[in-house]
């Protein structure tokens, strides 16, 4: 059984989207988390080491952090369109974009939004280079990995939905958001997130 550790309207909402894309049977364990506005707090029912989300339980195994959960699930469902399983010619690019999202895109974007880059020229330069790279790639092709959406796109598009200003104003990025988020699975995930219940198939 797949159990998603989830707090509504949080980073774990993207994993509901992914689970719906996969057509997986799963249950949701709702937990409280400490939020940006200071509300909420750690929940003892949350197995995540920092009491955050997402985390995923699968037959006693705990997987946490968005990029790891996305890779785990797309590998678990190797026939899904969003993954690139071992041996696939785009496997290397897929793993690279998952790591790049977690290690570069999100941290530098959050640093930029919070103002940290103002007094950190090296971090500001990395943020600028990241933006240029993402826009350049999406100018040349519809998705991060060529012609077909992947789990890496789900990560990036979900972040852009949450906070558009993590990347500069760009018609390329706006088009990308529209394309990636115009999916029935996302509509179902939003419905689930707005009306919490336990088991989903």
């Amino acid at each position: 059984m797949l159990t998603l550790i989830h707090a509504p309207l949080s980073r774990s909402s993207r994993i509901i989207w992914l689970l719906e894309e996969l057509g997986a049977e799963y249950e949701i364990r709702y937990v409280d988390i400490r939020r940006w506005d200071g509300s909420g707090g750690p929940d003892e029912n949350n197995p995540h080491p920092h009491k955050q989300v997402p985390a995923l339980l699968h037959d006693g195994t705990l997987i946490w952090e968005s990029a790891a959960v996305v890779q785990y699930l797309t590998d678990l469902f190797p026939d899904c369109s969003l993954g690139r399983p071992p041996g696939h010619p785009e496997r290397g690019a897929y793993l690279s974009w998952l790591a790049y999202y977690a290690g570069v895109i999100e941290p530098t974007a959050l640093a930029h939004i919070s103002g940290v880059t103002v007094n950190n020229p090296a971090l500001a330069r990395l943020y600028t280079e990241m933006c240029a790279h993402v826009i350049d790639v999406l100018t040349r092709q519809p998705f991060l990995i060529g012609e077909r959406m992947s789990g890496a796109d789900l990560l990036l598009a979900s972040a852009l939905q949450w906070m558009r200003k993590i990347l500069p104003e760009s018609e390329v990025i706006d088009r990308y958001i529209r394309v990636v988020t115009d999916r029935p699975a996302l509509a179902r995930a939003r419905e689930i997130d707005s009306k919490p219940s336990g088991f989903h198939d």
Side-chain angles (χ1 to χ4, degrees):
M1 172 59 71
L2 292 166
T3 302
L4 175 65
I5 311 304
H6 172 59
L9 303 177
S10 72
R11 279 183 174 86
S12 55
S13 298
R14 60 177 47 151
I15 307 303
I16 298 178
W17 177 10
L18 176 57
L19 287 162
E20 288 297 311
E21 292 278 1
L22 299 175
E25 291 187 4
Y26 63 99
E27 63 181 10
I28 297 176
R29 180 193 299 178
Y30 290 91
V31 297
D32 194 16
I33 57 170
R34 183 178 290 110
R35 300 202 180 245
W36 284 61
D37 62 3
S39 64
D43 191 325
E44 288 307 310
N45 288 320
N46 186 350
H48 188 291
H50 302 300
K51 307 301 182 187
Q52 291 296 315
V53 292
L56 182 75
L57 286 167
H58 181 219
D59 295 339
T61 297
L62 176 66
I63 308 95
W64 72 94
E65 299 304 305
S66 291
V69 173
V70 169
Q71 182 183 337
Y72 185 89
L73 284 172
T74 53
D75 283 359
L76 189 64
F77 292 82
D79 294 330
C80 74
S81 63
L82 296 186
R84 304 294 188 272
H88 192 285
E90 294 176 340
R91 174 70 170 183
Y94 180 53
L95 297 182
S96 296
W97 275 108
L98 290 177
Y100 190 71
Y101 174 81
V104 180
I105 295 178
E106 188 169 296
T108 60
L110 293 178
H112 170 73
I113 290 168
S114 62
V116 173
T117 52
V118 172
N119 297 312
N120 189 324
L123 193 55
R125 183 173 60 252
L126 181 58
Y127 170 73
T128 300
E129 291 172 352
M130 177 276 289
C131 292
H133 177 54
V134 171
I135 292 171
D136 174 62
V137 168
L138 294 177
T139 299
R140 291 184 283 107
Q141 58 196 39
F143 301 105
L144 295 174
I145 309 172
E147 301 298 316
R148 188 160 59 97
M149 181 177 163
S150 74
D153 294 294
L154 185 148
L155 281 175
L156 179 56
S158 63
L160 287 163
Q161 281 191 299
W162 167 61
M163 190 170 288
R164 171 63 185 83
K165 63 183 179 180
I166 66 173
L167 290 177
E169 290 300 316
S170 164
E171 290 184 7
V172 169
I173 298 300
D174 291 338
R175 174 202 57 77
Y176 172 75
I177 296 170
R178 288 194 300 271
V179 170
V180 176
T181 59
D182 184 22
R183 298 178 70 86
L186 177 55
R188 294 194 301 272
R190 287 172 172 161
E191 182 73 11
I192 292 166
D193 210 12
S194 67
K195 298 177 181 177
S197 61
F199 181 78
H200 301 275
D201 59 8

